[in-house]
Amino acid sequence: MKLSRTVLSSLPSLLKPYSSLSWTTTIATTAKTFEGMTTVDEADVGISCFISQLPGFRGILKQRYADFIVNEVDIDGNVVHLTSLDLPPEMDVKEEDKTKSSDNVPQNYTSAIESFRSISSVTDAERLESLINQVTSGTGDEFSPVVLDPSSDKSKRTAIHNFVKENFKFLVTDTVDGPDSTSKCIRVRVNSGAHNNRGNRSKKRKERGDKPFDSRGSEHWPEHVGKFLRFHLYKENKDTQEALGLIGKMLGVQPKSFGFSGTKDKRSVSTQRVTVFKQQASKLAALNKRLFGIKVGDFCHVKEGLLLGQLMGNRFTITLRGVVADSEETIKKSAESLGKDGFINYFGLQRFGSGSVPTHHVGAALLKGEHVVNDAREYYKETGDIDGTLRQLPRYLVAERAILQCLKKCPGNYLQALKGIPRTLRMMYVHSYQSYLWNNAASLRVTKYGTSQVVLGDLVSTKVDAEKRMVDSLTSEHNESSEEALDCDQVDDTAVVDLPAERSDLVKVVSIEDLEAGTYLTSDIVLPLPGSRVIYPSNDIAEIYHDLAKKDGISLTESIHGVKEFSITSMTGGYRRVFQKPIDFEWELLTYTDSNKPLAETDLDRITVNKPVDKVGSAEEIEDEPLKSDTNPHESCEANLKDQTDSKEDEKDTGNPDSEQTQMALKMALTLPSSCYATMAIRELLKTSTSVAYHKTLN
């Protein structure tokens, strides 16, 4: 890669004496002491080796979130970009006119409601009228039932049941317990398949025929239109669940209605595909004027929704600012080495959490059967007041809130409290421990046998079925849709996949014959993520798995407690490539003087060149729009405004205070499989820690 004349002329003032050794020896100390010693150091999770022996150099990672751009790569190898915010011509009509049907819902029930007043109370009539108005207005697909006043008069309740059945065909009634043993309440709810023609909304097979059960969205959907709306989600400094949670509130749909292939880093600018069930593109496009740091576009209808793991990988555009090196040659050789030899495919620090207790420590405790958890916060430690603690805990602390809510219902039942955490989040802890073991095994493999040769006893991916190898693009085990948002800074794009029994031919142990034939390369070397169906290397690398687990009081071969979910032996395991080369790797050196000036173009930048786009929704727009959810609208509004403030704070100049001083940046573009961490590629270049704490000290 050649350097521009501008960069070459500026290099003498930018290339300063730099000692890789002096920097790396202070990394651990700096990162550990930053922010009260609550951060995880790379050495703590087994990250300790490099492929090249070249010296590193100084560079600041994610000084601005726009310095880390992520574009999803779909299963066909296409890089996903946001190219348009407009509706396609075929969608640029009132789509709701195509799908809305009022055949099953008569429009005027005034006289029937008046008659209902004669057999019920005024309050009950008002409740029923409110429900009917919601249904007839056609403003949504999900309606909360209403519960009428308690009554001990069975004949009166029977009269109400019959009246509703005769006059409101789209409603059904049943009886629920009242406030005391002598009374009952009538519950009125919408019959999802009015006139008993329930179609695919019925859970009963005989009522829906051959159609699969489908509880979401409107029944009245044109057969020629795909049931899923696919769109490209562009977001700045927000994680995927957070962005979709906000969009879901504005649309009035549950989080489980959305499908996506993987989560993206929060501190980044990212574009990815998302699907949502039976929604109109016009409704989503209208949100663009109100959303801050989020845009949606490139709409089309498809037959199937996206699932986690349905992607080839991600295309990264990464800018390292404030680069300081011994010489231009140091940077050049390091970049060329990364492109040629790649990096050790460690699980990055994001895998192990950003909280005061690393996720692999929690995972180890679960695997040992230690289900007594510490109190979530100091307030709870001092008072034991669960309700008060819940009021103080932010909603994004999903695990803490779930534990406290379960302890409130079942005091002292800590195992049940842990199971109150969404399964995806619970399994994250166990997967984190698997990742901890894998990282340590990878470091031992590199330390003992280097990076340039395959050795006897190594595990390698076989050549039998290259297209179906599962070693470098493991798909997610997150099969359950959780309604709560995860802390996506702690979750990789994809988690660990269970290994099917029929795919046991994916790996093999290297034999003497394999070495003599030169059948396998270092790029074929894999290591297992512990489970019941994996095999281990036949050399001494296998020992570190068992030694570390034994030290933590965990057995990899037998269960030491009765909780199947928190047992390595109940997980099938998987494999991961040890060495990874970046795909389509490009790099260039840039100079800049303004630390607030973007050095890479985002998808939204490209769109705004040709057409102005409202980047920020005003506070008035946010306040004027009702949120269709059970969340307090004032609370949601405050959260929106807080997001705007936080994002603006994140984009303040954190660079050199002398904004006129010329500085150097290294801009790179590379594609990685979905289970790989770009931060580990950056680590190979810089030979420094990738922790957020460390890079904050560079600012």
Side-chain angles (χ1 to χ4, degrees):
M1 181 67 67
K2 294 184 178 179
L3 306 181
S4 66
R5 289 184 179 179
T6 304
V7 173
L8 287 171
S9 63
S10 304
L11 282 176
S13 63
L14 295 171
L15 299 174
K16 304 173 182 179
Y18 178 86
S19 168
S20 172
L21 180 62
S22 66
W23 275 92
T24 53
T25 54
T26 60
I27 292 170
T29 303
T30 305
K32 281 280 194 180
T33 57
F34 192 86
E35 293 185 344
M37 298 181 67
T38 61
T39 59
V40 178
D41 182 47
E42 289 178 344
D44 296 335
V45 292
I47 302 172
S48 60
C49 298
F50 301 96
I51 287 183
S52 82
Q53 300 303 311
L54 295 169
F57 53 91
R58 181 188 189 273
I60 305 173
L61 177 64
K62 297 187 181 182
Q63 186 178 80
R64 294 167 54 90
Y65 55 74
D67 291 341
F68 201 86
I69 300 174
V70 186
N71 290 88
E72 188 170 274
V73 180
D74 68 20
I75 205 71
D76 297 318
N78 303 309
V79 180
V80 177
H81 288 282
L82 182 72
T83 62
S84 174
L85 304 178
D86 300 324
L87 291 175
E90 65 272 18
M91 292 183 177
D92 195 10
V93 294
K94 291 185 177 180
E95 292 174 299
E96 60 271 17
D97 293 341
K98 299 178 185 178
T99 59
K100 187 166 70 173
S101 171
S102 59
D103 294 342
N104 293 329
V105 184
Q107 298 301 306
N108 193 337
Y109 290 94
T110 304
S111 59
I113 292 172
E114 286 300 319
S115 300
F116 182 74
R117 294 180 191 274
S118 63
I119 61 171
S120 67
S121 67
V122 174
T123 304
D124 284 346
E126 290 175 349
R127 289 172 182 154
L128 183 64
E129 184 177 19
S130 176
L131 176 61
I132 291 173
N133 287 339
Q134 290 180 52
V135 176
T136 57
S137 66
T139 56
D141 297 318
E142 301 293 335
F143 307 97
S144 299
V146 297
V147 178
L148 305 184
D149 290 337
S151 173
S152 56
D153 187 342
K154 185 175 181 180
S155 61
K156 178 181 177 181
R157 296 198 304 268
T158 301
I160 292 176
H161 282 303
N162 292 334
F163 186 90
V164 172
K165 182 177 180 180
E166 293 173 5
N167 292 276
F168 309 110
K169 303 293 185 182
F170 55 95
L171 299 178
V172 292
T173 59
D174 59 5
T175 304
V176 296
D177 291 336
D180 54 62
S181 58
T182 63
S183 64
K184 300 286 185 180
C185 297
I186 292 177
R187 179 174 58 183
V188 185
R189 65 184 191 278
V190 174
N191 179 0
S192 59
H195 297 288
N196 294 323
N197 182 24
R198 303 180 70 185
N200 64 343
R201 297 290 294 270
S202 175
K203 292 185 179 180
K204 296 181 180 179
R205 185 177 295 275
K206 65 181 181 180
E207 292 183 3
R208 57 181 166 86
D210 295 330
K211 297 179 181 179
F213 171 63
D214 188 350
S215 63
R216 302 165 295 173
S218 170
E219 286 186 72
H220 310 290
W221 192 265
E223 292 185 3
H224 67 282
V225 177
K227 291 184 178 181
F228 292 87
L229 175 67
R230 189 177 70 198
F231 61 94
H232 291 177
L233 171 68
Y234 170 96
K235 59 184 182 61
E236 300 175 348
N237 202 32
K238 288 179 175 59
D239 62 48
T240 303
Q241 294 276 16
E242 177 187 0
L244 293 181
L246 183 57
I247 292 173
K249 286 181 180 180
M250 291 180 171
L251 290 177
V253 301
Q254 296 290 336
K256 63 184 178 182
S257 296
F258 294 101
F260 53 90
S261 300
T263 60
K264 309 303 176 192
D265 286 347
K266 176 178 180 178
R267 189 162 178 79
S268 69
V269 174
S270 66
T271 305
Q272 66 185 111
R273 299 162 302 149
V274 177
T275 55
V276 61
F277 191 77
K278 288 184 178 178
Q279 287 294 317
Q280 309 298 342
S282 56
K283 292 182 179 179
L284 268 81
L287 300 182
N288 280 323
K289 292 184 178 180
R290 300 164 44 215
L291 291 167
F292 176 79
I294 302 171
K295 296 297 175 190
V296 292
D298 298 279
F299 305 101
C300 68
H301 285 288
V302 294
K303 293 181 179 180
E304 302 291 338
L306 286 169
L307 299 175
L308 282 165
Q310 290 182 336
L311 75 167
M312 183 174 290
N314 297 286
R315 181 71 176 169
F316 297 90
T317 303
I318 301 171
T319 305
L320 297 176
R321 293 178 182 257
V323 170
V324 180
D326 288 331
S327 65
E328 168 198 343
E329 196 66 17
T330 296
I331 302 171
K332 180 180 178 182
K333 285 184 177 180
S334 295
E336 290 176 347
S337 173
L338 177 62
K340 176 177 176 290
D341 301 320
F343 58 96
I344 302 171
N345 196 23
Y346 288 121
F347 288 97
L349 289 177
Q350 306 99 299
R351 184 73 157 186
F352 305 97
S354 57
S356 58
V357 180
T359 54
H360 68 291
H361 286 180
V362 179
L366 294 176
L367 292 170
K368 282 190 291 186
E370 294 179 356
H371 305 306
V372 178
V373 294
N374 292 326
D375 298 336
R377 291 290 182 263
E378 288 298 324
Y379 179 86
Y380 183 50
K381 289 180 181 179
E382 295 174 359
T383 67
D385 179 7
I386 292 179
D387 288 329
T389 306
L390 285 171
R391 284 193 295 271
Q392 294 188 30
L393 281 178
R395 290 189 175 275
Y396 64 81
L397 295 178
V398 179
E400 290 89 338
R401 295 183 65 87
I403 288 173
L404 288 173
Q405 286 167 344
C406 285
L407 286 177
K408 180 180 178 181
K409 295 178 181 177
C410 306
N413 191 337
Y414 298 105
L415 175 57
Q416 190 61 38
L418 282 168
K419 289 188 174 182
I421 301 173
R423 183 177 183 273
T424 49
L425 197 51
R426 296 199 308 268
M427 296 313 298
M428 179 194 73
Y429 296 128
V430 178
H431 291 158
S432 179
Y433 187 74
Q434 289 177 303
S435 304
Y436 162 75
L437 295 179
W438 190 98
N439 278 359
N440 279 279
S443 290
L444 181 63
R445 168 61 180 79
V446 172
T447 300
K448 297 202 71 168
Y449 300 116
T451 62
S452 60
Q453 61 179 347
V454 178
V455 301
L456 186 67
D458 269 340
L459 270 187
V460 291
S461 61
T462 60
K463 307 291 185 180
V464 295
D465 199 353
E467 291 185 359
K468 293 185 178 180
R469 287 185 196 172
M470 301 170 67
V471 293
D472 61 350
S473 58
L474 300 179
T475 53
S476 177
E477 193 188 45
H478 295 176
N479 294 323
E480 295 186 5
S481 297
S482 169
E483 296 186 7
E484 295 91 342
L486 302 180
D487 180 356
C488 291
D489 280 347
Q490 299 182 16
V491 185
D492 185 20
D493 274 21
T494 55
V496 181
V497 72
D498 281 344
L499 183 67
E502 65 271 17
R503 296 306 304 163
S504 59
D505 61 339
L506 287 169
V507 300
K508 66 163 292 184
V509 175
V510 172
S511 64
I512 294 177
E513 292 75 18
D514 293 326
L515 291 178
E516 291 175 347
T519 308
Y520 297 101
L521 305 174
T522 54
S523 58
D524 297 317
I525 300 173
V526 300
L527 283 171
L529 290 134
S532 61
R533 291 182 184 169
V534 301
I535 60 174
Y536 292 87
S538 63
N539 51 35
D540 50 3
I541 303 304
E543 296 174 7
I544 192 171
Y545 286 96
H546 299 281
D547 290 346
L548 286 176
K550 184 178 180 180
K551 182 180 177 181
D552 292 329
I554 297 169
S555 172
L556 300 182
T557 57
E558 57 186 46
S559 179
I560 59 176
H561 55 74
V563 185
K564 184 178 179 180
E565 181 178 342
F566 300 133
S567 173
I568 286 287
T569 57
S570 67
M571 304 177 69
T572 52
Y575 300 96
R576 181 178 178 86
R577 192 183 298 278
V578 175
F579 306 110
Q580 179 65 51
K581 293 181 181 180
I583 304 165
D584 298 329
F585 180 54
E586 302 172 353
W587 65 275
E588 63 177 321
L589 282 171
L590 306 171
T591 57
Y592 65 99
T593 56
D594 185 354
S595 295
N596 287 322
K597 180 181 179 182
L599 298 178
E601 191 176 44
T602 67
D603 287 350
L604 192 59
D605 291 333
R606 297 186 187 97
I607 292 177
T608 54
V609 168
N610 301 317
K611 183 177 179 180
V613 176
D614 294 330
K615 288 197 174 185
V616 181
S618 68
E620 290 78 15
E621 289 174 324
I622 295 172
E623 290 176 346
D624 287 345
E625 181 66 28
L627 298 179
K628 300 175 183 177
S629 74
D630 56 1
T631 304
N632 186 319
H634 297 291
E635 180 181 19
S636 299
C637 187
E638 290 171 3
N640 260 315
L641 295 175
K642 182 181 183 297
D643 284 344
Q644 296 187 24
T645 303
D646 290 346
S647 295
K648 290 175 182 176
E649 288 293 323
D650 281 341
E651 282 299 80
K652 286 183 178 179
D653 182 8
T654 55
N656 195 308
D658 182 2
S659 61
E660 297 301 318
Q661 180 180 348
T662 301
Q663 299 187 72
M664 185 162 61
L666 175 60
K667 178 181 172 183
M668 298 167 288
L670 63 155
T671 299
L672 295 175
S674 58
S675 61
C676 298
Y677 288 79
T679 52
M680 293 297 97
I682 301 304
R683 176 181 176 274
E684 179 68 31
L685 272 178
L686 301 181
K687 302 295 191 295
T688 61
S689 172
T690 57
S691 72
V692 173
Y694 171 69
H695 282 270
K696 281 184 177 180
T697 66
L698 299 185
N699 285 331

